[in-house]
Amino acid sequence: MMALLSALTPLNAVLLVPALAIPVLALVGNYRAGAIINVIACALTLAAGLSLLFAPRLRTDLLIIDDFNIYLVTLTTFVGFTTSVFSATYIAHEIEIGRLTPKYLRFYHAMYQAMMGSMNVALVANNTGLMWVGVEVATLSTVMMVGIYRTPEAIEAAWKYFILGSVGIALAFFGTILVYLAAQDVLGEGLPAMAWDALAANSAKFDARLLSLAFVFLLVGYGTKIGLAPFHAWLPDAHAEGPTPISAVLSGLLLNVALYALLRFKMVMAGNQATLDVGAVMMALGLVSLVFAGFMLYRRRDIKRMFAYSSIEHMGIATFAFGLGGPLANFAGLLHMTMHSLVKSAIFFAVGHIAQVKGTQRLADIGGLSVTHPVLAIGFALGVIAIAGMPPFGVFASEFMMVSSAFPRAPYATLVLVFGIVLSFGAMVLRMQEVLFGEPKGPRGPVKASYVPMFFHLALALVAGLWLPEPVVRWFRVVAAQLG
Amino acid sequence: MSPLAFDIAHLLAGGMLVLSFLLLYQDRITAVLNVFALQAIALSLSVAWQAVVQDAPHLIVTALIALVVKGLIIPGALHRIVRRLEIHREVEQVIGGGPTMLTGLGLVALSILLVQPVKQDVGILTREDLAFALAVILLGLLMMITRRNAVTQIVGFMSLENGLVLAATGARGMPLVVEFSVAFSILVAFIVFGVFLFRIRERFDSVDVGALDRFRGERRDQR
């Protein structure tokens, strides 16, 4: 018994709790019980994730906890938990109107835990291959959930996501093999040649041409998962057609995990001076995504699709910051990832409530929310203001830091960055006005769901915009230095 | 390494590449499936040969997975799907056979050019295997792009994946290769059953993925 308890380190718990919850949830027939178990499992994972902060750092050949992934694990388990709370009320409504049946919900909850567990695997893996497996399983489980409504639109979205995601991770795998080949000369055969810390420490001795070739495949592969234009085609469909809790975790977490994977490889590249300039490539892709998404935002007629494009935009901004590099820009990028994750999931919570009370996702059929549902309108407005980059929320802080650090170093690129940010700001404010004001449309029934997750996320984003806790600043500084 | 071992490895990897080209211009679905099964068998032979050359017995497991899953079970399942859905007619191509073959040749040249200057010091076998694998991967991608039928897209993806396994087993001493091949088999099985699962046929009266494009971008009608 003692041996069993001592094996239950926070790190193991982060991986084991979801793994154990999958079969339980697959067997529980009652959807209410399933939703409660889902919340409890997520709460336990969150507790494990938080206790990880106080546990000693460690590394093995397969798992690692360092300054970079520790905060992402905490963020992932936290957003996973709040989304599970949101999901519990959301699905109760879906059952009521008959869009989902209890049988599908069993499947849904099991897949939810599969996704949480595999994202944690991807985050704590110290092995390039294990991380790849984590991303793959997370992709598969979200594919299943995107298609769960079984409408033609949902099936199209799931199939598209499936094929594009599979090709993306296949290409990423080829890149992973190439990195191993580059490392094998120096580190020898076997596990150490796939371990992050060993790769990053020794990359100066690797063959630069092989590394460069590998990074191209990794960038296209994981870039597809990040949703960078022009590899983004799956993203708006998957966000719009799946259940809203899944849109929230897709945007808030899975995109971050894919970006994390790419950044780990960038750390390896940063140690070798002779490789191609990955920063410039990432900056270009980031700006293309930002400006492209900024224009696309104006033409959206579906509220979830619109915020999906907003995710592409923000991932583009973060990628630009990491591409620029340097302590300040990297710091801004890390902050931006975190803030986007919190705010965008809050927005999707709000959008989920709106779509349920109004019975539609079409922007044209949603209006006068400030009259019909004032509290919901305030939450939605705060979310949109935050994501558009207005002070005092955290997104403003990260974007301001980014622009001010980028101007002296890359003035023209920064002009494009500012143009993109302003462009999407305009679209956001325009759409927000349509939703909030004007002729009240649609049903006025009360929202039978909790606003707590949404306002909690927004409060955190607000606090982060005003004051960042000391340990967070320290982690970000250390990681920003490692990213080069 | 003896020249004979080298030549056999080359022959098998080259065989896979030739089969990739054969896949590109087949115009009947059943023929596509048969050629794919052949490629999977060539892959399993190639992996088994690597297991002997590298003295890595665990690769035999990967070879067996390739042979049983991709050489027998999946082509068999797809044959059944094709028969049940009555789609064993012609494969619609976005681009004609000639231009596709020329593009394929270009891709092979590209992969040789990309890999050749890399890693002069590594074993020549690894490098050439890598070039073959990259060519198979790119041809698989090309096949996915040029075909409009869901079943042939799946075959294109699996052929791409054959290239990945070839690359992974060619990388000497790469850990977890067996686990990766299992993970890929799961992925492929998911895709194959996805055709059933997503009921593409029933929903759209066709496995032509063009039918999926009806409302690309925006929802036209209100739900």
Side-chain angles (χ1 to χ4, degrees):
Chain A
M1 191 64 201
M2 285 310 288
L4 204 68
L5 275 180
S6 64
L8 198 71
T9 60
L11 179 56
N12 291 345
V14 167
L15 307 178
L16 280 180
V17 172
L20 292 176
I22 296 170
V24 174
L25 286 168
L27 292 175
V28 172
N30 184 327
Y31 75 91
R32 281 179 214 281
I36 292 170
I37 295 172
N38 193 33
V39 172
I40 293 173
C42 286
L44 288 176
T45 320
L46 172 62
L50 288 175
S51 61
L52 208 54
L53 296 175
F54 306 102
R57 302 295 158 86
L58 79 144
R59 75 161 297 278
T60 64
D61 274 345
L62 284 179
L63 301 177
I64 190 171
I65 289 294
D66 64 3
D67 289 321
F68 193 3
N69 61 16
I70 195 163
Y71 93 91
L72 277 174
V73 172
T74 317
L75 183 69
T76 303
T77 51
F78 171 73
V79 176
F81 168 67
T82 48
T83 307
S84 72
V85 175
F86 166 68
S87 155
T89 55
Y90 180 87
I91 55 159
H93 184 271
E94 299 293 286
I95 286 272
E96 229 166 74
I97 60 169
R99 271 178 93 190
L100 286 176
T101 63
K103 199 180 86 192
Y104 278 131
L105 279 179
R106 254 161 71 179
F107 182 68
Y108 166 85
H109 284 132
M111 282 297 144
Y112 191 90
Q113 289 299 326
M115 174 193 67
M116 292 307 301
S118 52
M119 283 196 296
N120 286 338
V121 168
L123 287 174
V124 300
N126 190 22
N127 178 294
T128 51
L130 186 62
M131 189 193 69
W132 176 84
V133 171
V135 175
E136 183 209 330
V137 177
T139 306
L140 288 182
S141 49
T142 43
V143 164
M144 305 306 291
M145 288 194 283
V146 165
I148 205 166
Y149 284 140
R150 289 286 183 270
T151 57
E153 292 91 341
I155 290 169
E156 180 199 345
W159 184 256
K160 209 182 209 176
Y161 178 24
F162 200 2
I163 292 295
L164 287 175
S166 303
V167 172
I169 51 184
L171 293 180
F173 186 63
F174 191 68
T176 308
I177 297 172
L178 290 178
V179 171
Y180 167 76
L181 275 177
Q184 185 207 36
D185 290 341
V186 181
L187 296 169
E189 294 172 14
L191 282 173
M194 294 183 89
W196 285 125
D197 48 355
L199 287 176
N202 296 298
S203 65
K205 288 172 263 168
F206 297 170
D207 182 15
R209 272 186 291 203
L210 204 51
L211 271 187
S212 305
L213 185 61
F215 195 77
V216 173
F217 281 93
L218 292 164
L219 186 64
V220 175
Y222 286 120
T224 308
K225 297 288 307 157
I226 302 171
L228 293 176
F231 321 119
H232 67 283
W234 63 272
L235 193 143
D237 290 18
H239 278 67
E241 305 304 340
T244 311
I246 300 315
S247 316
V249 282
L250 265 179
S251 257
L253 301 179
L254 196 59
L255 304 185
N256 270 1
V257 172
L259 185 55
Y260 164 81
L262 189 67
L263 290 178
R264 280 285 189 190
F265 283 108
K266 183 169 183 285
M267 273 185 186
V268 175
M269 301 288 287
N272 192 318
Q273 299 302 322
T275 55
L276 92 166
D277 186 3
V278 293
V281 183
M282 285 173 72
M283 275 165 77
L285 270 183
L287 287 181
V288 168
S289 309
L290 167 63
V291 174
F292 169 80
F295 279 113
M296 294 304 274
L297 279 172
Y298 285 89
R299 294 195 49 220
R300 294 309 102 193
R301 282 171 286 176
D302 180 309
I303 190 164
K304 280 169 81 178
R305 201 175 278 275
M306 178 172 110
F307 286 108
Y309 275 100
S310 157
S311 293
I312 298 178
E313 172 214 335
H314 284 279
M315 282 296 138
I317 293 176
T319 310
F320 171 83
F322 291 122
L324 185 67
L328 202 54
N330 282 336
F331 190 107
L334 292 167
L335 184 63
H336 199 78
M337 269 169 91
T338 318
M339 289 304 115
H340 172 251
S341 175
L342 288 173
V343 174
K344 186 54 65 62
S345 39
I347 289 180
F348 272 114
F349 297 162
V351 167
H353 293 319
I354 293 173
Q356 285 192 331
V357 293
K358 298 287 185 186
T360 177
Q361 291 175 205
R362 272 168 61 96
L363 278 163
D365 298 335
I366 304 169
L369 197 69
S370 60
V371 178
T372 56
H373 302 87
V375 184
L376 184 55
I378 291 172
F380 179 72
L382 287 177
V384 175
I385 287 171
I387 207 73
M390 296 271 276
F393 289 97
V395 179
F396 170 75
S398 60
E399 285 179 358
F400 182 76
M401 212 187 289
M402 212 176 289
V403 171
S404 55
S405 72
F407 245 122
R409 295 170 55 199
Y412 294 111
T414 315
L415 277 181
V416 181
L417 175 74
V418 172
F419 170 72
I421 291 175
V422 172
L423 191 69
S424 43
F425 175 83
M428 285 290 166
V429 173
L430 201 70
R431 293 287 174 249
M432 182 176 78
Q433 283 186 335
E434 285 175 14
V435 170
L436 292 184
F437 309 116
E439 195 71 21
K441 292 171 198 158
R444 292 167 178 249
V447 179
K448 280 176 279 178
S450 164
Y451 289 133
V452 176
M454 175 174 76
F455 282 114
F456 195 37
H457 277 206
L458 291 173
L460 282 179
L462 178 66
V463 170
L466 300 172
W467 167 79
L468 270 181
E470 187 52 36
V472 178
V473 175
R474 206 177 55 237
W475 291 327
F476 282 5
R477 282 220 181 100
V478 172
V479 179
Q482 287 172 349
L483 278 168
Chain B
M1 180 186 304
S2 71
L4 180 66
F6 180 78
D7 287 344
I8 291 178
H10 242 162
L11 175 72
L12 291 169
M16 281 181 67
L17 185 56
V18 171
L19 287 167
S20 269
F21 269 105
L22 276 182
L23 274 177
L24 275 182
Y25 69 80
Q26 297 305 322
D27 50 7
R28 287 177 163 273
I29 288 185
T30 44
V32 168
L33 293 177
N34 292 339
V35 175
F36 170 73
L38 269 181
Q39 194 186 36
I41 291 166
L43 172 72
S44 78
L45 286 176
S46 168
V47 174
W49 185 245
Q50 291 284 355
V52 174
V53 171
Q54 296 181 22
D55 194 21
H58 60 275
L59 287 184
I60 295 286
V61 180
T62 307
L64 281 178
I65 291 175
L67 181 67
V68 175
V69 176
K70 283 189 294 194
L72 297 173
I73 296 178
I74 286 181
L78 285 175
H79 267 300
R80 273 186 58 147
I81 292 178
V82 164
R83 231 176 303 136
R84 186 168 314 165
L85 302 184
E86 293 171 356
I87 46 174
H88 46 269
R89 287 181 300 275
E90 269 140 51
V91 181
E92 288 134 88
Q93 294 186 331
V94 182
I95 308 170
T100 312
M101 295 299 279
L102 282 178
T103 317
L105 279 178
L107 289 176
V108 174
L110 177 72
S111 44
I112 293 171
L113 284 178
L114 273 176
V115 177
Q116 211 60 17
V118 152
K119 288 262 281 193
Q120 301 296 346
D121 46 342
V122 78
I124 188 160
L125 176 62
T126 309
R127 208 174 69 215
E128 313 253 296
D129 251 2
L130 209 58
F132 277 125
L134 184 56
V136 172
I137 289 170
L138 292 178
L139 289 181
L141 260 181
L142 181 65
M143 183 172 171
M144 290 183 79
I145 295 166
T146 54
R147 302 304 173 86
R148 302 186 55 191
N149 182 300
V151 175
T152 37
Q153 276 191 353
I154 294 168
V155 173
F157 179 74
M158 290 192 295
S159 149
L160 186 162
E161 192 243 314
N162 283 347
L164 285 175
V165 175
L166 183 69
T169 50
R172 205 176 175 79
M174 179 155 164
L176 305 173
V177 170
V178 181
E179 287 81 350
F180 293 139
S181 55
V182 173
F184 263 122
S185 303
I186 294 172
L187 186 65
V188 165
F190 249 92
I191 295 187
V192 172
F193 294 114
V195 176
F196 267 138
L197 215 58
F198 295 135
R199 309 216 178 94
I200 290 185
R201 176 77 172 185
E202 285 149 57
R203 298 282 176 176
F204 299 101
D205 278 332
S206 162
V207 280
D208 183 341
V209 286
L212 289 173
D213 283 343
R214 249 186 315 189
F215 48 70
R216 169 189 295 168
E218 287 295 329
R219 175 196 313 271
R220 299 244 165 79
D221 53 333
Q222 197 173 344
R223 193 173 276 162

